[in-house]
Amino acid sequence: MRLSDLLPLALLPHCTSAAAGEPVIKRTAVRNDDVTISARARPDAPDGYAPAVVPCPQDKPTIRSASSLSKSESDWLAKRRPLTVEPMIQLLKRANIEGFDAEAYINRVADDVKDLPNIGIAVSGGGYRALMNGAGFIAAADSRTPGSTDKGGIGGLLQASTYLSGLSGGGWLVSSIYANNFTTVTALRDGSEDSSVWKFDSSIFTGPDLPGILDTARYWAKVASQVASKKDAGFETSITDYWGRALSWQLIDAPDGGPSYTFSSIADDDDFSNARTPFPILVADERAPGQKIISLNATVFEFNPYEMGSWDPTTFGFAPIRYLASNFSAGVVPRDGNCVRGFDSISYIFGTSSSLFNAFLLQNITSVDGVPDFLVDAATAVLEGISAEENDIAQYVPNPFLGWNRQANPAAESDSLDLVDGGMDLQNIPLHPLIQPLRAVDVIFAVDSSADTTYSWPNGTAMRASYDRSHGDIANGTLFPPVPDDRTFIAHGLNNRPTFFGCDVDNFTLSSSSTAPPLIVYLPNAPYTAWSNVTTFTPSYSLAERNAIIRNGYNAATQGNGTLDEQWPVCVACAVLSRSLARTGTAVPDACRACFDRYCWNGTVADATANVASGAGGEEYQPTFKIDNGSDDDTSAGAKVALAGSPAWAALFVGLVAAVVML
Ligand SMILES: *[C@@H]1O[C@H](CO)[C@@H](O)[C@H](O)[C@H]1NC(C)=O
Ligand SMILES: *[C@@H]1O[C@H](CO)[C@@H](O)[C@H](O)[C@H]1NC(C)=O
Ligand SMILES: *[C@@H]1O[C@H](CO)[C@@H](O)[C@H](O)[C@H]1NC(C)=O
Ligand SMILES: *[C@@H]1O[C@H](CO)[C@@H](O)[C@H](O)[C@H]1NC(C)=O
Ligand SMILES: *[C@@H]1O[C@H](CO)[C@@H](O)[C@H](O)[C@H]1NC(C)=O
Ligand SMILES: *[C@@H]1O[C@H](CO)[C@@H](O)[C@H](O)[C@H]1NC(C)=O
Ligand SMILES: *[C@@H]1O[C@H](CO)[C@@H](O)[C@H](O)[C@H]1NC(C)=O
Ligand SMILES: *[C@@H]1O[C@H](CO)[C@@H](O)[C@H](O)[C@H]1NC(C)=O
Ligand SMILES: *[C@@H]1O[C@H](CO)[C@@H](O)[C@H](O)[C@H]1NC(C)=O
Ligand SMILES: *[C@@H]1O[C@H](CO)[C@@H](O)[C@H](O)[C@H]1NC(C)=O
Ligand SMILES: *[C@@H]1O[C@H](CO)[C@@H](O)[C@H](O)[C@H]1NC(C)=O
């Protein structure tokens, strides 16, 4: 039973009427690919939120094997990699690595793309906390953010990156940026008066505060009617549809949450198609037929502007995302069959990646004033009617991988492909797409806003999960740097400061055909200047709190613009260069050696007696401000500082306290 099954459609305003139970397939003219696309290509679905049947393009869509990158991605990379050269040179020059001519080096390796550093950024899940903290990182990495290229900044890292992946709350961030013309975090944060984008002070339950335009009842009626239009068009709907549509009002700056915005239309965006942005990827996990618990062996799916599918040996295939919901069988659509467009609504995809929140929606909507009775009744019925294992699913019907890779694909015989929140397998950082050997990523900046501990701080569980997974059959050739257990993360402070994993390429035993996995720059959420450990299910945030958490993420990314470690931008530059230097046999500059000594995990683990219990008996991990949050009542900033280990930093810090207090 699904929420939409219970909705009395006749009660919905603006709802296209359909005879009860009779799906209406709407025909819509195929988009003419020769027509010049407008500057803003996102609202591209043929019929609002409803997918539509269209004639198949001449080149019929097919499922392809995951044994290579798609031609689309390869062609795009051929444009993107050269465009990262100039921003990378600027980033490295600003960092000014002593005794190393970065400009000459990059210019030299730029001729052979395989030697050029290949950068990825991964933003974890964790609801709004992850969105805001991740946004702080992106703002710091974006050269368009005022001040980001000043001393101590890392601005330009985003412009030098090839990939940007997001999962669950991190997927909201990535989606919001790309659905809004690759705009800046600052612009999304500041918005405009008549826009509801990033206005997190209005909860998703009551809807945006757009006086005179919308109240809670009309907001939910609009959401419900958008979802009903998908059902009317003959497609399955689930709670994920409602969740995604409701969230859209906060993430997509367009009327009614932009019901026509699709993921595939990012490919038509001028900035993306000209490779002026990184390649965005969202992640979800498969719930195989009959499976209840999502284990580390669950198949990991990705969504990118060209495709959705999996590199795992189970599904090992990709579908053209623009034509999802066409009747693929054994990889092809029937000879005389039509195709479907518009199923890949960006809201359905970020809703899928964050389907953990389906229960949050169901459980909370019943207690909000102004929600129409029919919705409350429907939600109550769903809560009473279905098991908790089922309400977190996003259904992909028809299953694009029906009859595909029969010997290994768990859903090969199923009409539905069921996907859930990308963090359900504990891999809460979307590293999977970026450790694929075919993508040859050299360094991943992994922003972790997981709520692992009692007080919603990360403890490395997400990293450890990806490391553990690299040892199973499911790994299919992916490698992952060694990562210690959660106790070591806490006992050695690896979850409280940036930590590099996999620094030493010589430490990997590689076959002739494999290359070292990326170096991972792990950036755990910690209190730099704000209590950024808000709980995952907090539904609204004052704009001041939102800004403080974004700023905290910014300060984590820059180590307080270098106040915690003046050498931090150098160390970021060294991480970027590391694999490339190894490939070209270039000596590692001394300044980089010093960075690696300071930031690389040295391979030791906490002994059994270390007091890191999370709750019972031991002391709970309770970090204190690493800088200061700038509050006036906080006069003893120096005393409150928890330095992340090195006494050298402490000395540096003491001299800077006066400056910091003023920030
Ligand atoms: C999108 O951004 C680009 C560059 O930032 C700008 O030139 C273009 O006008 C923008 N388009 C819209 C519709 O905002
Ligand atoms: C990955 O899985 C596919 C499908 O099972 C297989 O053909 C391929 O050889 C595997 N790759 C590696 C490197 O193990
Ligand atoms: C896909 O198959 C179903 C079931 O046979 C059919 O109802 C539907 O119209 C088909 N869709 C398209 C786009 O051909
Ligand atoms: C809202 O949802 C969360 C997560 O499902 C739940 O823990 C909480 O109790 C709900 N709040 C209300 C008021 O129902
Ligand atoms: C680390 O986090 C996981 C949840 O992700 C939790 O189960 C585990 O107890 C935590 N361990 C410590 C030592 O905090
Ligand atoms: C995952 O697969 C491996 C084999 O690669 C197996 O040893 C392990 O038990 C499986 N784990 C789960 C949770 O199913
Ligand atoms: C490795 O790091 C741990 C924790 O920071 C430290 O206690 C230990 O002395 C280091 N070991 C070496 C060999 O540097
Ligand atoms: C700073 O911390 C204090 C104490 O926790 C808190 O009251 C205040 O709201 C915080 N200010 C900011 C800007 O985060
Ligand atoms: C770092 O710079 C940013 C942007 O200028 C600013 O918002 C932030 O407060 C600064 N942080 C510190 C600790 O100075
Ligand atoms: C080197 O590799 C071994 C084996 O994989 C691992 O146990 C060790 O922790 C690694 N050392 C570092 C510094 O990563
Ligand atoms: C945030 O972290 C601090 C320090 O660990 C803790 O005292 C506080 O209760 C936490 N807040 C939440 C909402 O968990």
Side-chain angles (χ1 to χ4, degrees):
M1 185 169 17
R2 283 172 294 276
L3 183 52
S4 56
D5 295 337
L6 294 153
L7 289 176
L9 294 178
L11 291 180
L12 299 175
H14 331 295
C15 186
T16 42
S17 64
E22 210 181 303
V24 177
I25 305 287
K26 286 187 199 135
R27 279 188 165 272
T28 310
V30 72
R31 179 170 140 276
N32 183 345
D33 284 314
D34 296 333
V35 167
T36 325
I37 51 164
S38 62
R40 191 166 201 151
R42 266 68 69 240
D44 161 73
D47 191 19
Y49 188 64
V53 174
V54 298
C56 290
Q58 198 129 44
D59 225 350
K60 280 206 167 191
T62 53
I63 308 296
R64 70 167 186 97
S65 150
S67 58
S68 63
L69 294 181
S70 68
K71 180 168 187 312
S72 304
E73 183 172 340
S74 300
D75 291 349
W76 182 89
L77 285 169
K79 293 191 262 180
R80 178 64 185 163
R81 299 298 303 283
L83 287 179
T84 63
V85 169
E86 194 50 36
M88 205 179 301
I89 288 175
Q90 295 309 323
L91 174 77
L92 301 178
K93 270 175 75 177
R94 276 191 296 271
N96 194 16
I97 303 168
E98 203 187 322
F100 183 76
D101 186 344
E103 181 166 19
Y105 179 81
I106 295 296
N107 275 328
R108 185 151 51 83
V109 296
D111 291 340
D112 191 357
V113 153
K114 80 171 181 16
D115 286 339
L116 185 69
N118 189 8
I119 308 170
I121 298 173
V123 187
S124 83
Y128 290 97
R129 180 184 63 250
L131 182 160
M132 296 184 287
N133 196 51
F137 178 85
I138 299 295
D142 188 343
S143 58
R144 298 171 299 175
T145 307
S148 69
T149 55
D150 292 353
K151 191 168 167 14
I154 61 163
L157 180 65
L158 183 66
Q159 281 69 26
S161 295
T162 308
Y163 293 102
L164 171 57
S165 61
L167 174 164
S168 203
W172 307 347
L173 170 67
V174 172
S175 300
S176 190
I177 290 171
Y178 284 85
N180 293 296
N181 196 21
F182 198 68
T183 190
T184 61
V185 163
T186 322
L188 288 166
R189 182 196 64 191
D190 297 345
S192 63
E193 215 164 288
D194 53 0
S195 153
S196 57
V197 76
W198 287 34
K199 297 279 163 60
F200 303 140
D201 52 339
S202 299
S203 97
I204 202 158
F205 302 111
T206 52
D209 184 19
L210 298 171
I213 308 174
L214 207 62
D215 55 28
T216 299
R218 291 183 60 194
Y219 156 73
W220 279 110
K222 284 194 173 200
V223 167
S225 108
Q226 290 169 354
V227 177
S229 75
K230 177 173 174 180
K231 188 177 164 67
D232 285 354
F235 296 88
E236 296 273 347
T237 55
S238 53
I239 296 159
T240 306
D241 289 279
Y242 290 86
W243 171 244
R245 287 317 308 148
L247 202 51
S248 290
W249 298 71
Q250 299 182 343
L251 301 182
I252 304 174
D253 199 4
D256 298 349
S260 313
Y261 282 64
T262 61
F263 210 86
S264 58
S265 57
I266 293 171
D268 289 341
D269 177 55
D270 272 354
D271 278 337
F272 175 83
S273 62
N274 291 308
R276 289 192 296 261
T277 76
F279 190 83
I281 307 176
L282 261 57
V283 166
D285 295 340
E286 178 176 7
R287 168 162 283 157
Q291 193 179 22
K292 296 261 187 254
I293 309 287
I294 304 297
S295 80
L296 257 184
N297 288 344
T299 300
V300 176
F301 276 76
E302 73 166 52
F303 298 85
N304 68 52
Y306 302 120
E307 299 188 310
M308 77 81 82
S310 180
W311 303 102
D312 288 342
T314 45
T315 303
F316 202 64
F318 283 90
I321 192 169
R322 173 163 270 154
Y323 294 102
L324 277 182
S326 304
N327 282 330
F328 292 101
S329 178
V332 295
V333 288
R335 188 174 319 183
D336 301 318
N338 281 311
C339 285
V340 171
R341 282 257 336 265
F343 188 89
D344 65 322
S345 156
I346 195 166
S347 76
Y348 193 57
I349 289 167
F350 64 64
T352 299
S353 181
S354 63
S355 71
L356 176 69
F357 292 82
N358 283 0
F360 175 56
L361 175 63
L362 278 178
Q363 285 170 16
N364 288 266
I365 199 172
T366 51
S367 57
V368 176
D369 285 345
V371 174
D373 286 348
F374 72 83
L375 261 179
V376 173
D377 293 348
T380 310
V382 173
L383 281 171
E384 287 166 357
I386 64 174
S387 65
E389 285 85 36
E390 280 169 20
N391 63 24
D392 62 354
I393 286 176
Q395 291 188 305
Y396 286 70
V397 183
N399 172 10
F401 301 99
L402 179 71
W404 176 258
N405 199 20
R406 280 209 160 86
Q407 65 282 13
N409 172 8
E413 309 305 328
S414 172
D415 292 334
S416 173
L417 172 69
D418 294 345
L419 300 181
V420 297
D421 193 291
M424 293 283 275
D425 62 353
L426 298 183
Q427 295 191 95
N428 199 32
I429 312 173
L431 298 165
H432 184 267
L434 307 185
I435 60 170
Q436 295 307 318
L438 289 166
R439 289 201 165 121
V441 173
D442 289 324
V443 58
I444 305 173
F445 289 82
V447 185
D448 190 5
S449 308
S450 301
D452 291 324
T453 70
T454 306
Y455 295 108
S456 299
W457 300 109
N459 70 13
T461 291
M463 288 285 286
R464 179 68 178 198
S466 292
Y467 170 61
D468 286 344
R469 196 178 194 266
S470 74
H471 293 128
D473 296 338
I474 195 87
N476 203 31
T478 55
L479 299 173
F480 203 82
V483 166
D485 63 349
D486 48 353
R487 297 178 67 257
T488 300
F489 266 85
I490 295 179
H492 292 185
L494 310 179
N495 67 332
N496 187 256
R497 63 168 181 269
T499 308
F500 299 179
F501 293 95
C503 290
D504 188 359
V505 259
D506 295 336
N507 198 30
F508 296 101
T509 333
L510 302 168
S511 70
S512 56
S513 60
S514 59
T515 49
L519 184 157
I520 298 183
V521 175
Y522 178 65
L523 295 157
N525 179 26
Y528 284 80
T529 49
W531 292 119
S532 51
N533 55 327
V534 290
T535 63
T536 306
F537 294 113
T538 305
S540 62
Y541 301 84
S542 73
L543 300 186
E545 188 172 23
R546 176 197 67 182
N547 296 352
I549 296 175
I550 294 175
R551 195 165 76 105
N552 189 75
Y554 190 108
N555 283 323
T558 59
Q559 295 297 293
N561 304 319
T563 52
L564 287 176
D565 176 6
E566 204 185 12
Q567 289 291 301
W568 174 245
V570 175
C571 296
V572 167
C574 293
V576 165
L577 285 165
S578 175
R579 289 288 186 265
S580 173
L581 294 176
R583 270 202 300 278
T584 56
T586 307
V588 176
D590 286 346
C592 289
R593 286 194 189 286
C595 285
F596 297 148
D597 282 349
R598 194 147 72 242
Y599 289 104
C600 294
W601 176 53
N602 67 12
T604 53
V605 296
D607 60 52
T609 59
N611 184 12
V612 292
S614 52
E619 226 174 274
E620 184 55 53
Y621 171 67
Q622 289 234 53
T624 49
F625 280 125
K626 291 169 73 74
I627 302 178
D628 177 67
N629 76 344
S631 87
D632 293 337
D633 53 20
D634 213 4
T635 45
S636 57
K640 286 193 72 176
V641 168
L643 280 162
S646 158
W649 296 6
L652 175 69
F653 183 83
V654 167
L656 288 160
V657 164
V660 171
V661 168
M662 294 162 65
L663 298 168

